[in-house]
Amino acid sequence: MFGIVRPCSHRLGEGLKTQWMAHLCGLCLALRGDHGQFARIVTNYDGLLISVLTEAQAERATGWRRTAGPCPLRGMRTASVAQGEGARLAAAVSLVLASAKVRDHVADGDGLLARRPVALAARRVAASWGRAGARTGSDVGFDTAVLVDAVDRQIGIEALAGPGTPLLTVTEPTETATAAAFAHTAVLAGRPGNAEPLAEAGRLFGRLAHLLDAVEDRETDAASGAWNPLTATGTSLTEARRLADDALRGIRLALREAEFTDGKLAHLLLAHELGRSVDRAFGSSACGHTADGAHGPGGVLAPPTGPAGGVHPAEGSFGPPQHGGPYGPQSPHAPHGPYDPQNPYAGGGNPFGGGPSFQPPGPGRRGFWAGCAAAIGLCCTCKVCCAEEYEGPWSRKKREGCLSDCDCNCCEACQCCECCECCSCCDCGL
């Protein structure tokens, strides 16, 4: 499961949560129905937006839902799931983009893909997904060549990009691909007038997806030596946040120009949850349009400092350090105090292996077959979807369930909004 729009079930409310799950399951089953069980692995959160937008624009009619049989990921319960051209378009886009993602990982030599036999198998899978996506896209009238062309151009642009290259030059192929996919939902729904505003929304969504992926992978890419657009172009996190906020506002304005039959879920995902995705990636709820210097590392709002950079701890004011206070020279936090790294009994200088913080070693990785058994157990117990936290089957890293990311603090399920007409209930700025 990958994607940037991961809504909290508490914010969705029961009605919208049921709709969201219907589109998620519909995408998964569309992949299985057209391309076999293994294709379900490319199910992703962002791909279902295509299905959501198609249904949101369509006139109410039968045939948009069907009852699916029991599934381990639903706790062996039946459910009403989305079907039709919207779900199939979402499947086609997901397959082509997943194919590109696999090829990108093979080119970077990530993990097991650094081994030649695994890389060869991955290339064959990626090629198969690309062809399958093209077939399904053709069935619903969508030419996936625009997606393939965007992926090919992306590789060339990244090879030429360097310090001083505008970041938007690097994100352009992704923008073009998502614009085409969003615009085609208007064609499927019989609303050609929506094609232009939805193309704009898709273009900006592609920009956001590329930016947030770069921000979240920045440290990992730096450690592994992998290519990252922010590092390669010399773009600061402050500038990336500003571009992300501008894209988010542009998406909200574009949605206002489109006509929907029932756009509540699309509005909630693209106007509200997307904003939370930006905050989550940058580790801050502050926007990128504040005064210069207001953002610290990672986009987190940093407090201003006084002439000596100190903070008065008692009164909460900013100013030079107080000599007699808890941060003065007699304080344990002062130079050569018990928490100073230069103290022989602090940090790494402690002869007993040091410092006030002791971290137990993390659990080791599982082997291939043990990981497969753990993955089956996670699916059968529905932990991947519903658990607040679960252990990765192979890496054993702690992960969050896809419906457990709860930070509810605004506009419960957007019930007070009438689709895209107003957002006066929230701090959207519209």
Side-chain angles (χ1 to χ4, degrees):
M1 298 292 288
F2 57 93
I4 61 175
V5 183
R6 304 192 293 271
C8 168
S9 59
H10 294 79
R11 277 196 303 269
L12 286 174
E14 193 60 36
L16 293 181
K17 177 186 175 183
T18 300
Q19 289 186 42
W20 187 78
M21 286 299 298
H23 289 285
L24 184 63
C25 293
L27 170 57
C28 180
L29 293 175
L31 287 164
R32 185 197 67 179
D34 287 344
H35 310 292
Q37 289 283 359
F38 186 68
R40 300 170 81 176
I41 198 173
V42 309
T43 303
N44 66 93
Y45 298 120
D46 294 345
L48 69 87
L49 290 174
I50 302 296
S51 179
V52 169
L53 284 171
T54 303
E55 187 175 293
Q57 299 171 77
E59 295 295 335
R60 296 297 92 187
T62 57
W64 288 99
R65 290 283 191 274
R66 71 178 180 86
T67 300
C71 175
L73 293 178
R74 292 193 299 267
M76 299 307 295
R77 295 186 297 269
T78 61
S80 175
V81 302
Q83 66 171 352
E85 293 183 328
R88 298 190 72 200
L89 174 62
V93 172
S94 296
L95 281 166
V96 174
L97 295 183
S99 170
K101 196 176 186 72
V102 169
R103 282 191 286 154
D104 184 54
H105 285 306
V106 170
D108 291 341
D110 294 336
L112 290 175
L113 295 175
R115 300 179 181 178
R116 183 172 296 179
V118 179
L120 180 61
R123 286 193 188 96
R124 289 180 177 176
V125 170
S128 173
W129 282 348
R131 292 191 297 269
R135 289 195 304 271
T136 301
S138 177
D139 290 344
V140 296
F142 180 66
D143 186 2
T144 58
V146 65
L147 306 183
V148 176
D149 175 69
V151 171
D152 293 340
R153 286 191 297 109
Q154 186 76 55
I155 296 172
I157 289 172
E158 290 182 359
L160 297 175
T165 302
L167 186 59
L168 297 188
T169 300
V170 180
T171 64
E172 180 275 325
T174 307
E175 296 176 20
T176 301
T178 50
F182 273 46
H184 197 69
T185 65
V187 177
L188 295 182
R191 289 186 182 266
N194 283 349
E196 185 175 347
L198 289 183
E200 177 67 5
R203 183 179 68 82
L204 295 173
F205 180 83
R207 178 182 301 178
L208 261 181
H210 203 132
L211 282 173
L212 299 191
D213 184 63
V215 170
E216 292 176 344
D217 292 347
R218 191 171 64 99
E219 293 183 0
T220 304
D221 290 343
S224 63
W227 194 91
N228 184 282
L230 298 182
T231 306
T233 61
T235 304
S236 67
L237 286 178
T238 303
E239 174 63 11
R241 179 62 193 257
R242 186 189 67 79
L243 291 172
D245 288 333
D246 286 343
L248 183 61
R249 181 167 179 80
I251 289 172
R252 290 168 175 164
L253 293 174
L255 289 178
R256 279 183 146 187
E257 298 177 10
E259 296 182 2
F260 296 97
T261 302
D262 181 5
K264 285 185 179 179
L265 180 58
H267 173 77
L268 178 67
L269 296 177
L270 289 170
H272 295 271
E273 293 301 331
L274 197 52
R276 291 186 175 92
S277 299
V278 173
D279 291 338
R280 182 168 56 242
F282 285 91
S284 169
S285 59
C287 77
H289 295 87
T290 54
D292 290 340
H295 281 85
V300 180
L301 193 63
T305 58
V311 179
H312 193 292
E315 298 178 4
S317 60
F318 299 96
Q322 305 299 308
H323 293 287
Y327 293 90
Q330 304 303 319
S331 165
H333 302 278
H336 306 300
Y339 300 114
D340 190 285
Q342 298 182 19
N343 187 315
Y345 292 97
N350 191 324
F352 298 101
S357 175
F358 293 90
Q359 296 294 333
R365 292 177 59 89
R366 288 190 179 96
F368 177 76
W369 294 113
C372 289
I376 293 171
L378 288 172
C379 290
C380 291
T381 57
C382 211
K383 285 189 175 181
V384 174
C385 286
C386 304
E388 291 187 4
E389 189 176 69
Y390 67 92
E391 196 176 71
W394 286 278
S395 67
R396 304 192 73 169
K397 293 179 180 179
K398 296 298 183 183
R399 305 184 186 280
E400 294 180 347
C402 62
L403 298 180
S404 67
D405 184 17
C406 182
D407 55 353
C408 307
N409 55 16
C410 168
C411 188
E412 287 295 332
C414 207
Q415 296 296 334
C416 52
C417 298
E418 288 297 328
C419 187
C420 298
E421 294 303 320
C422 80
C423 284
S424 58
C425 56
C426 306
D427 295 327
C428 290
L430 294 182

